[in-house]
């Protein structure tokens, strides 16, 4: 008996060590005060060295693809301990490219990768299991080149397969060329890729003259998402800086940032589609303390001046007002939805044109039956999830850009200024208890051992120790 126990204990310790080695280290610390999370959520820094990390997306194998502006696309596989405990297990360069900026998308079968430069959209054949791309690319869309706002966000529709939505920004703060629909500036368009086979002789689409216009007069709509219940397309827009209203400087709290609705992709005659959203003549009101307010309220479209060609009446009558308006200069860069359509999440990159700084956070918005629950003139639609304790330290702080949700509902967030990836998770009630295993089971985990979370591991060890000793 003594002999057996002496034999078993080293065995047990050895197996504990083996499991411990597979358990990720999830203790990365930022070099600045860590961001704070709201009740019911926890967050953890899970990757560093992702310089200029912009859009992020999960592939069909559950791994994260990261666009690093001016560097290329990287594939990150995580050692996953559940909840917020992850560490990078493997980092693979998929494409080295100085041209790629921000946009990334995958085909509906996950086997074609799309990415954008400021001028073009490219595609590659992608094997998520082998972690490999075709050596050559196909140019699908061209003609998007302009200065200043160059992110060219991509969204692949899940409702209308093979439809790629592309957003193009303005060439300056107030880009007068955007007044002319034929310039293609400040527009969101949708392209049917069904007949764009991966053949070397197919002609690319021209953004400026082809595709279906989902909206124009959109200064720089960097975030685009498809609402999962109805297929409604929503975008979030970065509005203008340094503005005056009838000669008075109102830039501190105006114009508001916008969330716009662009109808559904299933019909080219959708009346919610293709309208003008105001820029560069009309802007959304956030703070109503402005000269000559009239009967306007939060979200009303207003003109910077009142004259015979641009004025508040013209803005109210002929332009589509946002579905929601946010505090000026917060810089929304991404929007994603919960699969059941009850919440949207928005990243706010943060301000440069405001004192004190604002934004630098990720917030949620309640949705119901395909629309935001809050009224269009609401100033309280956002619930903050993760933010900096002191924005006065920004921009040297957490600066969220891209959002991606994994199969467990965890939200991954890139921060370009700091070259980081964070994970944000709803706090599991099971972790609070040390006597029962968590009910949630991990799916699509790339971890060697499918631990539910740290609580599950501790519970299992506890049971093993009790049983054997
Ligand atoms: C991934 O690898 C690249 C190239 O070696 C490196 O520059 C980068 O810091 C790595 N990123 C992460 C998140 O580890
Ligand atoms: C796509 O292929 C062309 C032709 O080989 C090449 O010049 C270009 O750099 C590639 N684009 C990217 C983003 O790698
Ligand atoms: C498009 O989708 C919307 C929202 O789901 C739906 O109400 C509408 O009937 C659909 N239209 C067509 C032509 O299928
Ligand atoms: C609105 O703007 C005015 C004038 O700049 C300012 O005094 C006020 O605090 C602002 N209100 C809000 C809610 O930001
Ligand atoms: C606001 O006033 C303008 C004219 O000053 C008028 O055309 C418009 O209908 C009014 N809007 C509302 C909502 O009352
Ligand atoms: C009217 O105001 C708009 C907005 O400030 C300005 O761009 C335009 O030049 C003005 N037009 C005239 C005729 O003054
Ligand atoms: C406001 O602008 C519209 C459209 O440009 C114009 O038709 C109208 O006359 C202008 N109103 C005033 C009072 O100048
Ligand atoms: C929607 O999904 C979230 C996250 O999984 C969950 O907490 C919530 O209860 C769900 N709501 C409905 C109405 O299904
Ligand atoms: C977790 O705890 C919260 C707050 O006590 C409660 O509202 C929620 O229903 C619990 N969720 C689960 C899955 O038990």
């Amino acid at each position: 008996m003594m002999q057996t126990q002496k034999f078993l204990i080293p065995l047990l310790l050895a197996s504990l060590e083996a499991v411990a080695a597979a358990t990720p280290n999830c203790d990365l610390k930022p070099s600045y005060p860590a961001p704070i999370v709201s009740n019911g959520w926890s967050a953890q820094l899970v990757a560093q060295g992702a310089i200029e990390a912009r859009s992020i997306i999960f592939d069909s194998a559950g791994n994260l693809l990261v666009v690093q502006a001016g560097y290329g696309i990287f594939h990150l596989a995580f050692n996953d301990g559940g909840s917020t405990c992850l560490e990078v297990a493997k980092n693979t360069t998929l494409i080295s490219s100085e041209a790629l900026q921000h946009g990334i998308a995958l085909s509906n079968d996950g086997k074609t990768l799309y990415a954008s430069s400021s001028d073009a959209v490219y595609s590659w054949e992608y094997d998520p299991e082998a972690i490999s791309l075709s050596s050559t690319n196909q140019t699908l869309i061209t003609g998007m080149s302009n200065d200043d706002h160059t992110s060219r966000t991509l969204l692949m529709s899940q409702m209308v397969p093979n439809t790629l939505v592309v957003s193009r920004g303005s060439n300056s703060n107030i880009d007068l060329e955007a007044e002319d629909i034929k310039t293609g500036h400040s527009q969101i368009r949708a392209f049917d890729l069904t007949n764009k086979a991966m053949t070397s002789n197919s002609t690319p689409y021209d953004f400026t003259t082809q595709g279906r216009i989902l909206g124009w007069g959109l200064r720089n709509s960097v975030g685009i998402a498809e609402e999962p219940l109805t297929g409604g397309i929503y975008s979030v827009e970065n509005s203008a800086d340094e503005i005056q209203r009838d000669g008075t400087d109102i830039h501190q709290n105006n114009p508001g940032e916008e969330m716009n609705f662009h109808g559904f992709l299933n019909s080219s005659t959708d009346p919610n589609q293709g309208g003008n959203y105001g820029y560069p003549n009309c802007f959304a009101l956030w703070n109503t303390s402005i000269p000559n307010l009239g009967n306007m309220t939060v979200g009303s479209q207003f003109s910077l001046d009142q004259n015979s060609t641009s004025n508040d009446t013209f803005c109210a009558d002929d332009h589509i007002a946002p579905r929601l308006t946010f505090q000026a200069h917060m810089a929304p860069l991404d929007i994603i939805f919960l699969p059941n359509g009850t919440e949207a999440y928005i990243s706010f990159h943060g301000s440069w044109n405001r004192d004190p700084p604002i934004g630098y956070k990720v917030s949620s918005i309640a949705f119901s039956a395909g629309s935001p629950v809050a009224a269009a003139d609401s100033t309280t639609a956002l619930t903050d999830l993760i933010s900096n304790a002191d924005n006065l330290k920004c921009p040297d702080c957490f600066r969220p850009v891209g959002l991606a949700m994994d199969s467990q509902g965890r939200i991954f967030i890139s921060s370009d200024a700091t070259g980081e990836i964070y994970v944000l998770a709803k706090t599991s009630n099971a972790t609070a208890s040390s006597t029962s295993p968590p009910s949630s089971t991990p799916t699509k985990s790339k971890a060697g051992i499918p631990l539910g979370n740290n609580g599950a591991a501790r519970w299992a060890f506890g049971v093993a120790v009790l049983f054997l000793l």
Side-chain angles (χ1 to χ4, degrees):
M1 198 59 208
M2 285 296 279
Q3 288 286 63
T4 314
Q5 270 194 11
K6 269 185 189 154
F7 178 69
L8 267 177
I9 289 168
L11 237 192
L12 170 65
L13 292 177
S15 71
L16 276 173
E17 243 166 56
V19 174
T23 303
N25 290 317
C26 36
D27 53 3
L28 288 182
K29 300 271 189 300
S31 60
Y32 51 89
I36 53 173
V37 291
S38 63
N39 281 343
W41 294 82
S42 62
Q44 175 62 45
L45 177 61
V46 294
Q48 290 170 317
I51 180 169
E52 291 300 325
R54 298 286 295 187
S55 294
I56 56 178
I57 188 173
F58 279 97
D59 70 11
S60 57
N63 295 309
L64 193 67
L65 309 185
V66 181
V67 183
Q68 295 180 217
Y71 294 88
I73 299 180
F74 298 82
H75 173 287
L76 299 182
F78 288 95
N79 185 7
D80 188 349
S83 187
T84 58
C85 185
L86 298 101
E87 86 181 320
V88 174
K90 192 174 176 208
N91 166 7
T92 310
T93 304
L94 287 181
I95 315 162
S96 281
S97 165
E98 290 180 14
L100 299 181
Q101 290 296 311
H102 180 97
I104 189 168
L106 285 161
S107 58
N108 303 103
D109 67 4
K111 292 179 180 165
T112 304
L113 177 70
Y114 307 98
S116 57
S117 67
S118 58
D119 183 56
V121 178
Y122 303 95
S123 69
W124 293 258
E125 285 169 56
Y126 176 51
D127 182 339
E129 300 299 334
I131 316 182
S132 69
L133 281 188
S134 53
S135 55
T136 57
N137 69 67
Q138 180 78 10
T139 306
L140 297 178
I141 302 168
T142 56
M144 297 193 287
S145 172
N146 57 248
D147 293 339
D148 202 18
H149 295 125
T150 56
S151 55
R152 314 299 178 251
T153 306
L154 306 179
L155 172 76
M156 176 55 69
S157 173
Q158 303 304 311
M159 289 284 187
V160 184
N162 288 322
T163 304
L164 187 70
V165 180
V166 185
S167 179
R168 178 182 180 188
S170 64
N171 78 2
S172 61
N173 182 32
I174 306 290
D175 175 3
L176 294 178
E177 288 183 65
E179 270 181 359
D180 181 357
I181 195 170
K182 292 199 285 295
T183 64
H185 288 197
S186 299
Q187 300 184 4
I188 299 177
R189 295 188 181 218
F191 296 85
D192 180 2
L193 301 185
T194 307
N195 297 317
K196 289 280 160 191
M198 295 286 294
T199 57
S200 54
N201 59 0
S202 66
T203 314
Y205 284 119
D206 174 36
F207 182 92
T208 306
T209 57
Q210 295 177 289
R212 198 200 314 169
I213 300 177
L214 302 189
W216 60 298
L218 293 156
R219 181 175 174 275
N220 190 28
S221 293
V222 184
I224 329 169
E226 184 177 52
E227 196 283 322
L229 301 183
T230 61
I233 301 295
Y234 285 88
S235 67
V236 285
E237 181 183 9
N238 291 234
S239 199
D241 302 308
E242 306 284 22
I243 66 160
Q244 299 193 345
R245 157 85 172 175
D246 296 338
T248 300
D249 178 357
I250 61 164
H251 87 276
Q252 180 81 350
N253 294 308
N254 275 303
E257 309 288 53
E258 304 182 15
M259 175 196 267
N260 287 303
F261 177 60
H262 308 288
F264 309 100
L265 294 173
N266 61 5
S267 157
S268 57
T269 57
D270 184 334
N272 296 297
Q273 213 167 74
N276 185 287
Y277 290 73
Y279 178 82
N281 294 305
C282 306
F283 300 87
L285 192 61
W286 172 252
N287 180 312
T288 54
S289 299
I290 61 164
N292 308 315
L293 176 67
N295 59 7
M296 293 191 297
T297 182
V298 172
S300 294
Q301 294 263 11
F302 69 94
S303 174
L304 302 184
D305 292 290
Q306 314 301 315
N307 61 42
S308 59
T309 57
S310 186
N311 50 63
D312 293 344
T313 310
F314 164 70
C315 288
D317 290 350
D318 296 333
H319 300 91
I320 300 163
R323 186 57 191 78
L324 285 175
T325 306
F326 310 120
Q327 161 70 49
H329 309 303
M330 293 208 296
L333 293 190
D334 205 356
I335 172 170
I336 59 171
F337 281 92
L338 262 182
N340 67 15
T342 57
E343 273 178 357
Y345 303 104
I346 299 181
S347 59
F348 292 98
H349 198 223
S351 64
W352 64 265
N353 193 220
R354 189 179 191 277
D355 186 16
I358 197 135
Y360 303 95
K361 64 183 182 181
V362 176
S363 308
S364 67
I365 294 181
F367 264 71
S368 176
S371 298
V373 172
D377 63 355
S378 173
T379 56
T380 57
L382 296 176
T383 302
D384 294 348
L385 305 183
I386 179 169
S387 56
N388 290 279
D390 182 5
N391 279 345
L392 290 173
K393 300 221 159 57
C394 295
D396 297 319
C397 65
F398 170 62
R399 276 207 98 169
V401 181
L403 302 174
M405 186 173 290
D406 75 356
S407 57
Q408 298 179 45
R410 296 178 295 192
I411 301 169
F412 288 66
I413 308 164
S414 67
S415 171
D416 59 351
T418 57
E420 295 169 331
I421 310 284
Y422 278 84
V423 66
L424 180 66
K426 284 195 170 142
T427 310
S428 166
N429 295 6
T431 54
S433 159
S434 58
T435 55
S436 64
S439 54
S440 67
T441 49
T443 54
K444 288 196 183 175
S445 165
K446 295 305 283 184
I449 293 178
L451 300 176
N453 57 20
N454 286 338
R458 282 194 294 273
W459 178 83
F461 295 153
V463 169
V465 168
L466 282 175
F467 184 73
L468 285 168
L469 299 179

Coordinates of all heavy atoms in Angstrom, one line a residue, residues 338-343 345 409 426, ligand 8:
L338 N -24.3 40.9 -31.5 CA -24.5 39.5 -30.9 C -25.3 38.7 -31.9 O -26.2 39.3 -32.6 CB -25.4 39.7 -29.6 CG -24.7 39.7 -28.3 CD1 -25.8 39.8 -27.2 CD2 -23.8 38.5 -28.0
P339 N -25.1 37.4 -32.0 CA -25.8 36.6 -33.0 C -27.3 36.6 -32.8 O -28.0 36.5 -33.8 CB -25.3 35.2 -32.8 CG -23.9 35.4 -32.1 CD -24.0 36.6 -31.3
N340 N -27.8 36.8 -31.6 CA -29.3 36.9 -31.5 C -29.8 38.3 -31.6 O -31.0 38.5 -31.4 CB -29.7 36.3 -30.1 CG -29.2 37.0 -28.9 OD1 -28.8 38.2 -29.0 ND2 -29.3 36.4 -27.7
G341 N -29.0 39.3 -32.0 CA -29.5 40.6 -32.4 C -30.0 41.4 -31.3 O -30.7 42.4 -31.5
T342 N -29.6 41.1 -30.0 CA -30.1 41.9 -28.9 C -29.1 43.1 -28.5 O -29.5 44.0 -27.8 CB -30.3 41.1 -27.6 OG1 -29.0 40.4 -27.3 CG2 -31.4 40.0 -27.9
E343 N -27.9 43.0 -29.0 CA -26.9 44.1 -28.7 C -26.0 44.3 -29.9 O -25.6 43.3 -30.6 CB -26.1 43.7 -27.5 CG -26.7 44.1 -26.2 CD -25.8 43.7 -25.0 OE1 -24.8 43.0 -25.1 OE2 -26.3 44.0 -23.9
Y345 N -22.1 46.1 -30.5 CA -20.9 46.6 -29.8 C -20.2 47.6 -30.8 O -20.0 47.3 -31.9 CB -20.0 45.5 -29.4 CG -20.7 44.5 -28.5 CD1 -21.1 43.3 -29.0 CD2 -21.0 44.8 -27.2 CE1 -21.8 42.4 -28.2 CE2 -21.7 43.9 -26.4 CZ -22.1 42.7 -26.9 OH -22.8 41.8 -26.1
G409 N -18.8 33.8 -27.7 CA -19.3 35.1 -27.4 C -18.3 36.1 -26.7 O -18.7 37.2 -26.3
K426 N -18.1 38.2 -20.8 CA -19.0 38.3 -19.7 C -18.5 37.4 -18.5 O -18.0 36.3 -18.8 CB -20.4 37.8 -20.1 CG -21.1 38.9 -21.0 CD -22.6 38.6 -21.2 CE -23.1 39.9 -21.9 NZ -24.2 39.6 -22.9
Ligands
LIG8 C1 -28.8 36.9 -26.5 O1 -27.5 36.4 -26.3 C2 -26.9 36.8 -25.1 C3 -25.5 36.3 -25.1 O2 -25.4 35.0 -25.4 C4 -27.7 36.3 -23.9 O3 -27.1 36.8 -22.7 C5 -29.1 36.8 -24.0 O4 -29.9 36.3 -23.0 C6 -29.7 36.4 -25.4 N1 -31.0 37.1 -25.5 C7 -32.1 36.5 -26.1 C8 -33.3 37.3 -26.1 O5 -32.0 35.4 -26.6

